[in-house]
Amino acid sequence: MHDFTTLLIEVGALLLLLGLLSRLSRRFGLSPIPLYLLAGLAFGHGGLLPLDASEEFFAVGAEIGVILLLVMLGLEYSANELVGNLRSAAPAGLIDGVLNALPGAGFALLLGWDWVAALVLGGITWVSSSGVIAKVLADLGRLGNRETPVILSVLVIEDLAMALYLPLVTAVLAGTGLLGGGIALTVAVGTVLIVLVVAIRYGHLISSALSAKDPEALLLGVLGLTLLIAGIAASLQVSAAVGAFLVGIALSGPVAHHATELLSPLRDLFAAVFFVFFGLTTDPQDIPPVLLPALALAVVTMATKTLTGYLAARRVGIAEPGRWRAGLALVPRGEFSIVIAGLAVAAGSVEPRLAALAATYVLITVVTGPILARLPDFPWFKRWLRNRAAAQRREPTPVVESLR
């Protein structure tokens, strides 16, 4: 009873603090994500006032937060839109992997680490945080923007790639050899394809089974289905986030519209819990020794990720402001990067500094990412874009005219 009372006090006090921080951030027109992370650092391991009783609650809530963020993203788009975007964004996905995985792998080799650590760090720097980006896009009111489908296409390709990468890197870390890795990879590919086919071909049947006229039944049905599919996907070594996203894709029509309205408050609650939990699990004392290497790696890969989004948006004819919005929105790394680092630490056979470096690196990108995403909205950035466009349209002065 005493532990339960302590749990209520800790959870209540922290949620109240998050509410105040959210209001403060909105007053200044900023995303509350960096403040949520800093709150987690303050009350986590090695922080000012560690919260021990509520750690398990926030751990479960964080997992649910990622799932809700991804199902809400899926509800914004239809299955046909997903397939079309994936086809058009396949080259961008390849560029994304080359530009963002190779710097991480090369950085590990420069530090003198082995090829396994390079494989792990390459994955950490490759994949953006779907959860953070989904929250930023919602906060900035960009879900309906022309560049948002491009951003989502890159994220989905990354998530699908993680469905293949995670079983492979798990097998490498466990030392099971090529056979074990091949089996895990085959199961992951088969699961993704099955869920995707069901979402595309039978999504209308799923929607018809859920009543849009009964809010209570709809909320319980959509939430239950999402958690069920996410859990099955995770048990088959596929990302729970991919399963949740495909559930959102499968729902359509009035069901999708009403489900978005019903799930929005839950998404906001558990998304805040996700960001706080990330800070809670990061010990501030581990940050100083790896701060400079993590900062250098973050600067390089934030630039390459911005270039990825810029090129992807340019390929489909998005205007200059939208290209920058797409590139800067992709900067944050998050849940997958931490999962990859956690697998490496659990294996016990990788460079011990990897966990602290990964946590610090992710923290830098998650704190700065929402701030950078707002740059295209600032007047000085818009003026710079207009001047740049005017300079590109201006024809060069002929040599003859210049001699007169």
Side-chain angles (χ1 to χ4, degrees), residues 22-34:
S22 177
R23 184 178 181 184
L24 178 65
S25 65
R26 307 286 183 196
R27 177 168 250 175
F28 291 98
L30 300 174
S31 170
I33 293 174

Side-chain angles (χ1 to χ4, degrees), residues 207-269:
S207 296
S208 62
L210 300 169
S211 174
K213 298 179 180 179
D214 187 343
E216 182 179 351
L218 180 61
L219 174 61
L220 294 174
V222 173
L223 185 59
L225 178 63
T226 301
L227 295 177
L228 175 64
I229 298 300
I232 293 174
S235 67
L236 295 173
Q237 303 299 317
V238 179
S239 164
V242 172
F245 182 82
L246 293 176
V247 169
I249 288 292
L251 301 177
S252 59
V255 168
H257 174 72
H258 290 292
T260 300
E261 295 179 344
L262 292 171
L263 289 175
S264 293
L266 287 177
R267 176 200 61 190
D268 294 339
L269 169 62

Side-chain angles (χ1 to χ4, degrees), residues 9-377:
I9 293 173
E10 289 185 359
V11 172
L14 194 50
L15 290 180
L16 176 60
L17 174 63
L18 296 182
L20 297 174
L21 291 176
S22 177
R23 184 178 181 184
L24 178 65
S25 65
R26 307 286 183 196
R27 177 168 250 175
F28 291 98
L30 300 174
S31 170
I33 293 174
L35 296 182
Y36 293 162
L37 287 166
L38 294 176
L41 282 174
F43 296 102
H45 300 292
L48 300 175
L49 184 63
L51 303 180
D52 299 323
S54 56
E55 183 175 349
E56 186 175 351
F57 169 85
F58 281 104
V60 175
E63 296 289 343
I64 296 175
V66 175
I67 290 170
L68 288 176
L69 283 166
L70 267 295
V71 72
M72 293 289 287
L73 269 183
L75 288 171
E76 296 289 333
Y77 298 92
S78 68
N80 291 330
E81 287 174 331
L82 171 66
V83 173
N85 289 334
L86 285 178
R87 287 174 178 169
S88 62
L94 179 61
I95 294 173
D96 180 31
V98 172
L99 288 180
N100 297 286
L102 291 183
F107 195 81
L109 296 176
L110 286 176
L111 292 175
W113 298 354
D114 60 15
W115 69 272
V116 177
L119 176 65
V120 171
L121 191 57
I124 290 171
T125 59
W126 174 12
V127 61
S128 297
S129 171
S130 300
V132 176
I133 294 169
K135 178 65 172 171
V136 170
L137 292 176
D139 287 344
L140 298 179
R142 295 181 183 172
L143 290 177
N145 283 19
R146 283 195 63 208
E147 74 276 0
T148 299
V150 177
I151 298 171
L152 296 183
S153 299
V154 173
L155 293 177
V156 171
I157 289 175
E158 287 181 350
D159 286 349
L160 293 176
M162 285 297 104
L164 310 181
Y165 171 86
L166 288 176
L168 182 62
V169 78
T170 301
V172 170
L173 291 169
T176 58
L178 293 177
L179 180 60
I183 293 174
L185 195 61
T186 302
V187 172
V189 173
T191 304
V192 170
L193 291 177
I194 290 172
V195 175
L196 189 58
V197 169
V198 170
I200 292 174
R201 292 194 174 183
Y202 305 104
H204 64 285
L205 297 178
I206 299 174
S207 296
S208 62
L210 300 169
S211 174
K213 298 179 180 179
D214 187 343
E216 182 179 351
L218 180 61
L219 174 61
L220 294 174
V222 173
L223 185 59
L225 178 63
T226 301
L227 295 177
L228 175 64
I229 298 300
I232 293 174
S235 67
L236 295 173
Q237 303 299 317
V238 179
S239 164
V242 172
F245 182 82
L246 293 176
V247 169
I249 288 292
L251 301 177
S252 59
V255 168
H257 174 72
H258 290 292
T260 300
E261 295 179 344
L262 292 171
L263 289 175
S264 293
L266 287 177
R267 176 200 61 190
D268 294 339
L269 169 62
F270 285 103
V273 170
F274 163 70
F275 298 118
V276 169
F277 180 72
F278 181 74
L280 288 173
T281 55
T282 303
D283 191 339
Q285 297 178 5
D286 294 337
I287 293 178
V290 296
L291 181 58
L292 288 179
L295 185 59
L297 183 61
V299 169
V300 172
T301 54
M302 284 192 294
T304 55
K305 187 63 79 170
T306 301
L307 179 61
T308 298
Y310 185 95
L311 294 176
R314 189 176 71 176
R315 282 190 71 257
V316 296
I318 303 296
E320 187 86 359
R323 298 174 194 174
W324 284 102
R325 286 194 295 267
L328 293 170
L330 288 169
V331 162
R333 274 67 160 188
E335 57 274 10
F336 275 125
S337 299
I338 297 302
V339 168
I340 295 168
L343 290 174
V345 172
S349 57
V350 183
E351 169 61 42
R353 291 175 293 172
L354 179 65
L357 177 67
T360 307
Y361 166 79
V362 170
L363 195 62
I364 292 171
T365 62
V366 170
V367 169
T368 58
I371 298 173
L372 292 175
R374 290 189 60 87
L375 285 182
D377 296 332

